[in-house]
Structures are given as structure tokens and as C-alpha cells.
Amino acid sequence: MKKFGFILLVIVVFALVGCNDKPTPETNAKADQANELTLAIGGEPEDGFDPTTGWGRYGSPLFQSTLLKQDSEMEVTYDLATDYQVSEDGLTWEVTLRDDATFSDGESVTADDVIFTYETAKKSQSVVDLADLENIDKKGDYQVAFHLSQPQSSFLYTLQRLGIVPEHAYTEDYAENPVGSGPYQLVEWRKGEQLIVEKNPHYYGNQPVFEKLTFLFSGEDQALAVAKAGEIDVLSVPITMANQEIAGMKQISLQSVDNRGVMLPYPEPTTNEEGEEVGNSVTSDPAIRKALNYAIDREAIVDGVLNGEGTVAYSSTDDLPWGSSEIAIEDADQERAEQILTDAGWERGEDNIFEKEGQKASMTLYYPSGDQMRQSLSLVFADLINEFGIEVITEGASWNEIEQEMHANPVMMGWGSHDPLELYSLYHSSMQGIDYYNANYYQNEQVDQYLDQAIHASTEEEANEYWKLAQWDGNTGMSTLGDAPWVWLVNLNHIYYVRENIKIGEQKVQPHGHGWPITDFITEWQVME
């Protein structure tokens, strides 16, 4: 590992690049009043704030309410709903609504709005999975019955993710001017600059302490500079900037399933129906995929690249209820990795790189050029694996360019959701080549069967057993013990700097870092004396 120190030096240099951006005159100053907050906690949602097309799936929808929600222990609790019942055959979900909820315009939230929301989301054919929803019956002003074509255990998570929109106020520009029954309402959105929201006076739930929130949209360096000037109350930073000292602010590090890993093309080289190149002559060999997983030193990456702010990852579901506890391996075992390769007919060449039948164990690893963390992970991964004896050439590219390469070349990807449906999307053969899902064209009939059984289980407990079997059943699975179509590396901690007198309370394990997940429990935030 002689080169590891050099790569870390490069990463440190990246992290310490000077901050040239200065706050503009239009930057909102931190409110003097205790009931206002200024936050710089992530990117601006490109598609706006419409839950029917995906807003809120990685965190609280903020402007809207959901039927169910999760507490800090990831237990299911009620939001707009006061009760739900599932029929024995799993085909009918009856939901009773509270009768005191109103939208921010004062109109009541009723069964009609729930039906409208779900029907609109189904028609949009977006990331909201409602393929099995056949119809919805109105049982009363505050009661609905969802009828599914087949049991769908993941529907429980849809009820927790899909914010309810008002039928009477849903227009073409709803995504930019949302009306909802959540704790806050939108006041002003200056795209590329800031978003101002105020407390919803009609909110039925726990009343938030803060009357006004201002979300700033700026680069990481600029946001840090503004925070150091005392103008921000809550700031999120990448791990590479987690060594800051900011007067009057405390650092909070939250565990997440916001994972990073190397996606490995699974089949032999071919072309898909669109004429795109699919598969890779090196990574299609299971011995290569397994050797990569055993040879890599995940702990060294957590310590060296993440500065300890993260955990090793063996899947996209570590420590989640549907994650398997049986798939962790002893990594950094290069002797075992080499044995796997030699047993499969690979031999070291004169340059120390493994070869087999004239094929050199060489691959190009793509990463998004604008993402410093993925670049750092890619460089260190390549350094460690090159020294082991598999050649990895790193290449930064735009996401548009990566989309052209990701079916045939490894990519440093990131996922992590509070919805087990993501497992289905990443590994089921029916999802091959759909957006970024199953971009490596993984396929295993037994895994497909387990994933189908998980989706169509009648209870959450039954579903979790099938999710786990899909990862490893003692014989096959999607994990390193089975087909190893990924080299999962790390789960990133989410790093925040929070004003010292603000208490954000208990937080659940964070999902992938879209959608401001830290605001999940914003109604419980307090100002301390």
C-alpha cells in the first residue's frame, strides 16, 4: 500500500483548497430572532416540490403531510392517518384519516385529496411505484380503501413517502408553488439563490418553534464562508470539510445508509435493444468481482478518505430491517482474493497485473467529475486494487457521459433509502437499464424470485425475510457471498454544523443525501436557553 499515502495527500489538498467565494450582499443574514433559521443543507430540488413526481422520497416533504411516517427508531407511526388495516389477502388497505387537518390555504384535507394524489402519482409514471394500485374507493369523507392487483409489502413505505396534494389547488405550476398540510408553507423561491418558508398557521401537528426558515442555495465553499461569518444556523458539509472550527456552532455527525460503491457490469459484452454497449469482458468473471470485494480494505478507506466519518458497507441496506446480517465478509484479505483468481485461471503477468488467456485484468472506473468524495474514493480504490494486481484506470466524466458508459464500465455510484423497494430496483432483471437502476444488467433468476416474493408478501415481516434471502440464501444471492455485482465500500456520515443553542433531538439513520432528510423532525427542534 505504498501509494495510499500519496493519494491521501492529494485528497487533503483538494479539501484544503482556498475559499474564494464571498457572501453576496443579497445573502440573508442570520435572523436575530430566536424563531427564525437560516439553513444551507443541500442542493436545490431541480424538479420542485411535487410529491407525485418524487419530492420527499429521501426525507420529509416539509410542505406536505403523508398518511404514515417513521419515528427516530424507524417504527411506523401515524401522520394524516389515524388507523390503517390490511386485508388477509393483502389486496386491500383501508386508511382512516384525521378530520382536523387542513391545507395551508385553510381547506380541509379529505379522502378526495388522498385519492387525487395517488391517482395523479400513478398517471405521472415517475419514481413513485404504484404499478399494483388498481383503484381507490372513497369509504367516507375521511376514509379510503386502496385496492391492489396483488399483495405489495412495499406499499407500506409508499404511504410514508407520498405527500398529499390538494385537488382544488393542484395546477400546472404546483411544483413551484406547492400547497400542502405540512408544517411549513412556501413564501418565496428565488431559484439558484434561496427559498423562504413560513410556518403553516393551519398545521394540525406539533407546532414548530421556528416561524420562518430560509434555505440558501450556494456552493459548499461559499456556504462555509457565510457560516463562519455568523449568518447561518444549520450547515451541511461534505466529509472532506468536516474539520472546520466555526464559532458558535457545534458539529453533529449522523449515521447514514448513504452508501458509495463500485457498480460492476455483470454480463459478457453485448448490446441492448437500443444498440448500447452492455457488459464487460473482465467484470463479467465472478472471480474478478469476488476478488475485488475481498482485496479492498474498507476500514482503511473509512479512516483515510472519510477521516473516520462513516462505516464500512457490504450492501446498500446495512443495519436496516431488511438488510442481512450474514453477508459481511473479512475484507482486506488479499491472500484469499489471489486464491480466488488463481483457482479461476488468472495468473500474474510481468507487470504484476493478473491475466487470463490473453485478457488483462484491467478496467476503467468512472466517477462524476464534480463530486470530490466520489473522486477521492475512486482514486484510493484504484490505488489499492492496482497494487493488488488488478488494473483500475479512473476517469472523471459528466453524468451525461457516464450514462453512455455505465452499462459497460464500472462506476462509483451511491444509493441508500428507507424503502426496501430500492433493492428491487437495483437488482431485479426487469429493471435492467431503466434510468440508473440495475445499470450493470445484473440477473439471477433465484434472486428475482425472492425479490418478487418480498414485494408481494402480505406482511412486513415476511417481506423482510425474502429481502434477506435475495442477498444470500446459503447458496446464491446478490451479495459478495453470491454473485458480487457490486463492491460496496462505505456508508457516509452526514455532517452538520448547528448553532449551539439549537437542539435537533434524536434523528433516524439518514438516507441518501437528497431532499433535506435532517428536516424530518423539524417540528421537534428547540431553542435552548
Side-chain angles (χ1 to χ4, degrees):
M1 301 183 185
K2 296 177 182 178
K3 298 179 185 176
F4 192 38
F6 169 75
I7 294 297
L8 289 182
L9 177 61
V10 172
I11 293 166
V12 171
V13 171
F14 286 163
L16 296 180
V17 170
C19 174
N20 295 321
D21 292 320
K22 296 181 180 180
T24 66
E26 296 185 70
T27 301
N28 265 31
K30 186 186 81 65
D32 292 330
Q33 297 88 345
N35 64 352
E36 296 186 14
L37 286 181
T38 300
L39 308 93
I41 57 172
E44 187 173 21
E46 294 181 1
D47 299 323
F49 305 100
D50 186 349
T52 68
T53 58
W55 164 247
R57 66 192 177 107
Y58 282 119
S60 167
L62 193 65
F63 306 115
Q64 297 89 8
S65 306
T66 52
L67 297 176
L68 303 176
K69 59 184 179 180
Q70 289 177 334
D71 63 18
S72 60
E73 300 298 321
M74 296 190 68
E75 296 292 332
V76 178
T77 60
Y78 295 111
D79 192 356
L80 279 174
T82 59
D83 187 34
Y84 76 95
Q85 301 291 331
V86 185
S87 62
E88 289 189 10
D89 60 10
L91 297 178
T92 301
W93 294 60
E94 289 195 4
V95 178
T96 302
L97 307 177
R98 59 190 305 149
D99 59 10
D100 61 344
T102 60
F103 293 107
S104 56
D105 62 2
E107 294 291 328
S108 295
V109 181
T110 68
D112 291 325
D113 299 300
V114 173
I115 294 171
F116 175 80
T117 298
Y118 277 76
E119 289 181 344
T120 301
K122 184 176 176 67
K123 291 175 184 175
S124 74
Q125 296 184 332
S126 64
V127 296
V128 183
D129 178 40
L130 293 172
D132 291 330
L133 179 60
E134 280 197 333
N135 59 75
I136 313 173
D137 283 342
K138 179 179 177 180
K139 312 294 285 188
D141 287 342
Y142 301 100
Q143 189 172 32
V144 297
F146 298 94
H147 299 288
L148 308 180
S149 58
Q150 52 187 332
Q152 182 185 342
S153 62
S154 61
F155 193 65
L156 176 67
Y157 301 93
T158 302
L159 298 178
Q160 300 168 41
R161 301 281 175 268
L162 184 51
I164 303 303
V165 302
E167 182 177 17
H168 69 276
Y170 189 85
T171 60
E172 291 183 358
D173 66 344
Y174 179 86
E176 298 185 6
N177 297 282
V179 174
S181 55
Y184 286 93
Q185 58 183 337
L186 189 148
V187 175
E188 180 187 35
W189 183 12
R190 292 161 58 184
K191 292 185 178 180
E193 298 181 28
Q194 66 180 20
L195 177 80
I196 298 175
V197 307
E198 292 180 354
K199 189 163 72 171
N200 175 6
H202 302 288
Y203 183 55
Y204 55 86
N206 186 36
Q207 295 298 302
V209 168
F210 303 102
E211 297 284 343
K212 177 183 176 182
L213 309 177
T214 300
F215 295 87
L216 301 183
F217 306 127
S218 60
E220 293 165 351
D221 288 340
Q222 183 179 11
L224 179 60
V226 176
K228 288 186 173 182
E231 306 297 321
I232 288 178
D233 298 290
V234 183
L235 170 73
S236 68
V237 299
I239 288 171
T240 51
M241 298 170 68
N243 59 347
Q244 305 295 318
E245 292 289 337
I246 306 178
M249 301 189 83
K250 58 191 174 186
Q251 185 192 94
I252 296 176
S253 179
L254 300 179
Q255 183 182 349
S256 85
V257 288
D258 190 354
N259 45 63
R260 298 292 182 271
V262 179
M263 181 190 68
L264 302 173
Y266 190 73
E268 292 279 353
T270 184
T271 56
N272 62 17
E273 295 178 354
E274 287 74 36
E276 299 172 317
E277 293 184 6
V278 171
N280 184 290
S281 59
V282 175
T283 62
S284 59
D285 188 330
I288 291 287
R289 298 194 302 269
K290 286 179 176 289
L292 289 169
N293 270 279
Y294 280 101
I296 196 65
D297 190 338
R298 293 172 174 83
E299 286 286 358
I301 293 176
V302 170
D303 293 338
V305 181
L306 306 189
N307 297 319
E309 291 290 354
T311 57
V312 299
Y314 298 105
S315 74
S316 62
T317 60
D318 293 345
D319 297 323
L320 293 176
W322 46 91
S324 173
S325 60
E326 299 180 4
I327 62 174
I329 63 171
E330 292 290 335
D331 63 356
D333 189 346
Q334 297 198 353
E335 288 186 9
R336 181 169 185 175
E338 181 163 359
Q339 189 65 54
I340 289 171
L341 291 176
T342 55
D343 288 348
W346 292 88
E347 298 179 350
R348 290 189 185 275
E350 293 181 0
D351 59 357
N352 195 48
I353 302 300
F354 284 95
E355 298 178 354
K356 179 181 179 181
E357 299 174 357
Q359 172 73 63
K360 194 173 184 178
S362 177
M363 64 191 72
T364 299
L365 170 60
Y366 284 86
Y367 62 86
S369 54
D371 189 321
Q372 182 180 320
M373 176 54 68
R374 296 194 204 200
Q375 179 184 19
S376 301
L377 290 169
S378 298
L379 291 172
V380 171
F381 178 83
D383 184 54
L384 295 174
I385 295 302
N386 283 332
E387 184 172 348
F388 164 69
I390 297 177
E391 184 178 55
V392 177
I393 303 165
T394 59
E395 185 164 339
S398 68
W399 277 113
N400 287 337
E401 292 169 327
I402 289 174
E403 287 177 13
Q404 305 303 313
E405 302 289 345
M406 64 185 181
H407 304 316
N409 293 280
V411 178
M412 184 65 70
M413 286 282 205
W415 294 94
S417 174
H418 288 160
D419 187 340
L421 185 64
E422 186 174 88
L423 271 178
Y424 184 96
S425 300
L426 290 181
Y427 294 101
H428 198 281
S429 62
S430 67
M431 299 299 292
Q432 290 177 346
I434 297 178
D435 295 328
Y436 290 98
Y437 297 127
N438 200 352
N440 55 344
Y441 278 67
Y442 173 67
Q443 183 168 4
N444 179 319
E445 290 184 7
Q446 183 60 66
V447 170
D448 278 355
Q449 181 177 332
Y450 287 139
L451 294 175
D452 288 334
Q453 289 173 299
I455 284 287
H456 302 307
S458 57
T459 68
E460 185 181 10
E461 292 74 21
E462 180 188 359
N464 285 345
E465 289 305 310
Y466 285 120
W467 294 125
K468 294 174 183 179
L469 286 172
Q471 294 164 72
W472 180 242
D473 67 359
N475 181 55
T476 190
M478 63 180 69
S479 66
T480 297
L481 299 178
D483 298 321
W486 283 74
V487 184
W488 293 105
L489 298 175
V490 296
N491 298 302
L492 310 178
N493 285 1
H494 287 181
I495 309 298
Y496 297 92
Y497 285 89
V498 179
R499 190 68 52 196
E500 288 179 341
N501 66 333
I502 296 173
K503 183 178 181 180
I504 65 171
E506 294 296 321
Q507 300 288 315
K508 59 189 173 188
V509 174
Q510 301 270 283
H512 198 53
H514 300 298
W516 313 333
I518 196 174
T519 64
D520 252 351
F521 305 116
I522 199 165
T523 59
E524 299 174 19
W525 292 16
Q526 299 290 327
V527 177
M528 309 303 292
E529 295 296 334

